[in-house]
Amino acid sequence: MSWGLALALGGAACEDVRVVIGTLPPEPPVYAPERPRFSAPEKIAALSDDVARDEDPTLTGDLLEIHFMSERGASQDIWISRRADLDAPWETPTVELAEKLNTDINEDTPAISNDGLRLWFFRNSEPQTGIWMSERASRGDPWGAPVYVDALNPGHDGGTQAMNAHVDLPELRAVVGLNGPETKGWDLAIASRDSTEDEWGEFVPIAELNDEGDQLAPFLFDDGRQLLFRSGDDLFWARRLATNEPFEAPEPLEELNAPDARENDPYLSPDGSVVFFSSERSGGSDIYEARRVAP
């Protein structure tokens, strides 16, 4: 809008100097992403077992390596599959590549870093049940011995359990599900840090998304402004206009949710073009994918 405002600067030396402020530039539009929409999901047959549960898919940023939980062994373990390129089929999943990640007790809900060199996962190991992390020097190296991540297990000594950790693309925000004396069930909470060299800050409940049911399997993207997660048996999407603002009311990902079946564990590719998740729509629990479509 034009203010047509002339400011006269006082003082004897500049009494004839006048500054005219003209039309202000238009304000930039408010960033408000639309809900992502996807094609009909398809089961990834090469990764699915007809008898065992297969869940918790997480992929490297190039989408050539996938880690997931499977019960096709003696316990819940982390299995790995690779493919040569995006058009190639997935190789037969193996548990041997994750030898140091798995024990006789349960491991699940893995979340791998974009470069594939760090992996966070849940281990049901007393007295340190919760989020563990493993590292490897390169994609061709085996995973190292995992360590318990105290900062990602807030309130553990007071009876609070952390699960389903997801660390975002720049590794500056971590989202988990928490269950303890101060939660309503499984609740979502988020922690942040200024750089990857810093310690994680305190977890803050995402109160506006938590209800009396269970909220789990968070996947945070778009610099912390968009979130996929499971509530009850369905997958939801939520957005916030800035990271210092609350999330708006979540919307169900209707095209991914099947009636009378549980959907879980969403993973969205870095370019947003494909989502991987697990579903019980086939009678067991298998891994599915769906392609992004135009709104």
Side-chain angles (χ1 to χ4, degrees):
M1 85 187 192
S2 177
W3 291 93
L5 176 63
L7 296 183
L9 301 182
C14 56
E15 60 183 4
D16 294 329
V17 177
R18 299 170 65 85
V19 176
V20 178
I21 300 177
T23 303
L24 293 176
E27 294 184 0
V30 175
Y31 174 78
E34 296 296 321
R35 176 175 85 77
R37 300 184 183 278
F38 299 95
S39 62
E42 297 182 1
K43 184 167 75 171
I44 306 176
L47 301 179
S48 300
D49 187 278
D50 291 337
V51 178
R53 289 172 57 221
D54 298 306
E55 298 180 345
D56 311 319
T58 181
L59 291 87
T60 51
D62 58 11
L63 305 186
L64 300 183
E65 186 173 338
I66 186 170
H67 290 56
F68 61 97
M69 186 284 292
S70 180
E71 288 186 336
R72 62 189 76 186
S75 62
Q76 293 182 1
D77 290 323
I78 296 172
W79 289 62
I80 303 172
S81 179
R82 294 168 174 163
R83 57 183 174 180
D85 56 61
L86 296 180
D87 296 320
W90 289 104
E91 299 173 358
T92 301
T94 177
V95 74
E96 284 76 17
L97 294 173
E99 179 181 5
K100 291 188 177 181
L101 302 179
N102 297 317
T103 63
D104 293 337
I105 52 181
N106 293 340
E107 284 81 24
D108 58 21
T109 62
I112 198 168
S113 62
N114 190 59
D115 60 11
L117 302 184
R118 290 162 298 286
L119 185 80
W120 297 266
F121 64 98
F122 175 82
R123 174 178 284 175
N124 187 14
S125 172
E126 293 296 341
Q128 291 181 312
T129 294
I131 309 302
W132 293 64
M133 187 188 77
S134 178
E135 296 184 275
R136 58 184 178 181
S138 73
R139 295 269 289 273
D141 289 320
W143 287 106
V147 296
Y148 183 77
V149 187
D150 288 296
L152 296 183
N153 292 286
H156 180 266
D157 294 339
T160 296
Q161 188 178 68
M163 194 176 184
N164 270 149
H166 168 68
V167 178
D168 71 351
L169 195 64
E171 299 184 32
L172 299 181
R173 301 175 186 87
V175 199
V176 300
L178 295 180
N179 190 336
E182 298 181 359
T183 69
K184 306 173 185 177
W186 284 101
D187 286 350
L188 301 178
I190 186 170
S192 60
R193 58 185 178 180
D194 292 330
S195 78
T196 56
E197 305 300 320
D198 295 329
E199 295 294 329
W200 291 106
E202 292 187 6
F203 273 90
V204 178
I206 308 179
E208 62 272 21
L209 299 182
N210 295 324
D211 61 25
E212 298 298 330
D214 289 337
Q215 283 72 46
L216 271 170
F219 186 92
L220 191 68
F221 63 105
D222 189 20
D223 289 330
R225 291 174 293 195
Q226 298 187 64
L227 181 73
L228 305 180
F229 66 100
R230 173 172 70 87
S231 180
D233 289 336
D234 291 331
L235 299 181
F236 285 77
W237 166 85
R239 74 177 183 188
R240 55 184 176 180
L241 302 184
T243 54
N244 61 348
E245 295 186 14
F247 283 95
E248 299 176 1
E251 299 180 27
L253 294 171
E254 295 173 344
E255 63 272 26
L256 302 184
N257 296 324
D260 303 320
R262 189 185 75 167
E263 273 65 56
N264 206 0
D265 316 306
Y267 168 88
L268 185 67
S269 63
D271 66 359
S273 64
V274 58
V275 64
F276 296 79
F277 65 102
S278 65
S279 176
E280 295 180 350
R281 68 189 65 197
S282 61
S285 182
D286 297 304
I287 297 174
Y288 286 74
E289 65 177 331
R291 300 289 170 175
R292 184 85 168 262
V293 297

